[in-house]
Amino acid sequence: MTETTPRAVSARTAAALRVEDAWLAHNYAPLPVVISAGDGAWLTDVDGNRYLDGLAAYSAVNFGHGNPRLVEAARRQLERVTLTSRAFMNDRLGPFAERLAALAGAELVLPMNTGAEAVETAIKAARAWGYRVKGVPADRATIVVARGNFHGRTTTIVSFSDDPVARDDFGPFTPGFRSVDYGDAAALDAAMDETVVAVLIEPIQGEAGVVIPPPGYLQAVRAACDRFGALFIADEIQSGLGRTGATFETARVGVRPDLMTLGKALGGGIVPVSAVVGPAAVLGVLRPGEHGSTFGGNALAAAVGTEVVAILEEGTFQARAAAAEPVLRAALDGLVGHGALGYRVAGLWAGIDIDPALGTGRDICLRMMERGVLMKDTHGSTVRFAPPLVVTDDEIGFAIEQLGDALRTRN
Ligand SMILES: *Cc1c(COP(=O)(O)O)cnc(C)c1O
């Protein structure tokens, strides 16, 4: 750790930092805060300091830390059976798939664990569908993606990233992807041809800084897919499951993708649970043995996932995110011209562009940490705010007030 932080780091935190530095590969650069407990929208560190969680583990903790319904569902299942592998059936997975399919308006569910695995699964399903149903010549399938995307970290997925940090030194890359500018419907049209089996898009680009496409863009993606007989794959891993004020961002704007990838909040912040959902005409092309995962669809994941679906069926978290949006906007309006250049908001999800003269996004996050709010920067001078959806209006006000303070002062 080369950076200096204003607050003297406690002996406990310093010890944890030394252990992290010594024993963990340096593929992350965490803020120097060591969390030992969480409750609702709040986290507590090893010294007893409390922080408002402004990241919610990249929206995996939408329903709050220690959500009692989810903890109870996990606890009950822990005492019964956790893992059978899919060589045998378990009594949790079928009901989970049925409920999730109904929630998503889909016919089939293919369960995996992490988001990247769901994206890989969608890619494989789209390619197999392309060869077996659409009739694309062998090994010619193309998937169109958007610049600025984030779909995960596997070698195939970084093959179509345009972030040099994600790609450099990880080649050779998987062919079969074509990139277009995000939000540009004409560019997408121009990239389509008969080899295109799918367009893979985030309805809102989260890691890019909560980049919201222009109105009508997702409709244009749908239309382009229809015109060229391609599948529309919406990666709803971060935009879905309540964050934007709806169960699915595509549904919020009135568009039906063919496949959706889901993850993050699907596991309730307890276990990794991901899935691809879609029609039998697409997911039904996969045959036994062609794809799978030892842990995908495990009984513990299915029990937690079923409770997540039950929570989403009630709609209260979606309604809360929608109701919080104007509160968040009003608070952020006060920062524009006072350290913030601008912001983008969708539900309870904000990307805030900081005046680079005031520091990097990370500098701001360090100052926020001192002020009791944990946030995460993305790309240079953008910070994001995506607290658990249990956050109150007052807590939103507190967080943005601290951000204003962090922008006014240099430490
Ligand atoms: C986080 C994320 C992923 C990858 O999920 P992991 O669980 O980290 O593999 C994929 N797509 C989007 C849109 C994401 O935000």
Side-chain angles (χ1 to χ4, degrees), residues 114-117 119 150-153 202 207 235 237-238 264:
T114 65
E117 287 175 308
V119 172
F150 181 85
H151 295 288
R153 299 296 198 169
E202 296 158 86
E207 296 305 298
D235 182 347
I237 288 168
Q238 197 165 162
K264 292 201 166 107

Side-chain angles (χ1 to χ4, degrees), residues 114-188:
T114 65
E117 287 175 308
V119 172
E120 287 275 354
T121 301
I123 291 167
K124 287 175 71 176
R127 285 178 169 181
W129 171 87
Y131 300 128
R132 294 171 189 175
V133 178
K134 182 173 177 175
V136 173
D139 289 339
R140 294 281 312 284
T142 303
I143 294 179
V144 177
V145 299
R147 296 197 179 93
N149 70 69
F150 181 85
H151 295 288
R153 299 296 198 169
T154 64
T155 41
T156 286
I157 292 172
V158 301
S159 295
F160 56 86
S161 168
D162 56 3
D163 177 359
V165 178
R167 279 172 65 89
D168 286 0
D169 294 334
F170 300 125
F173 297 113
T174 305
F177 299 94
R178 194 175 287 162
S179 295
V180 296
D181 283 344
Y182 187 65
D184 183 341
L188 174 66

Side-chain angles (χ1 to χ4, degrees), residues 220-402:
V221 173
R222 176 72 274 173
C225 287
D226 289 343
R227 224 163 21 249
F228 287 88
L231 304 173
F232 179 178
I233 307 173
D235 182 347
E236 292 259 20
I237 288 168
Q238 197 165 162
S239 58
L241 312 189
R243 178 57 55 190
T244 69
T247 308
F248 304 106
E249 174 61 11
T250 43
R252 198 187 64 78
V253 301
V255 172
R256 271 195 70 83
D258 297 294
L259 299 179
M260 287 194 288
T261 53
L262 306 175
K264 292 201 166 107
L266 193 57
I270 297 179
V271 278
V273 186
S274 70
V276 182
V277 298
V282 179
L283 289 178
V285 303
L286 296 175
R287 299 182 283 245
E290 291 185 338
H291 189 61
S293 157
T294 302
F295 282 87
N298 71 78
L300 179 61
V304 173
T306 302
E307 197 60 29
V308 166
V309 172
I311 286 173
L312 288 167
E313 285 167 353
E314 293 167 8
T316 51
F317 284 89
Q318 298 92 317
R320 173 63 197 137
E325 179 175 323
V327 177
L328 181 53
R329 282 184 184 281
L332 289 171
D333 280 340
L335 296 187
V336 176
H338 300 275
L341 301 178
Y343 67 84
R344 297 161 296 281
V345 165
L348 204 26
W349 197 14
I352 306 145
D353 300 326
I354 301 302
D355 180 350
L358 300 177
T360 62
R362 183 171 175 97
D363 294 333
I364 300 300
C365 290
L366 284 165
R367 289 180 217 161
M368 292 291 284
M369 183 188 84
E370 300 296 319
R371 289 165 172 77
V373 182
L374 297 179
M375 291 178 42
K376 174 77 177 85
D377 54 302
T378 79
H379 304 286
S381 292
T382 299
V383 294
R384 71 182 112 189
F385 182 61
L389 304 178
V390 298
V391 75
T392 65
D393 288 355
D394 284 350
E395 289 165 345
I396 294 169
F398 163 75
I400 304 306
E401 212 174 284
Q402 299 314 307

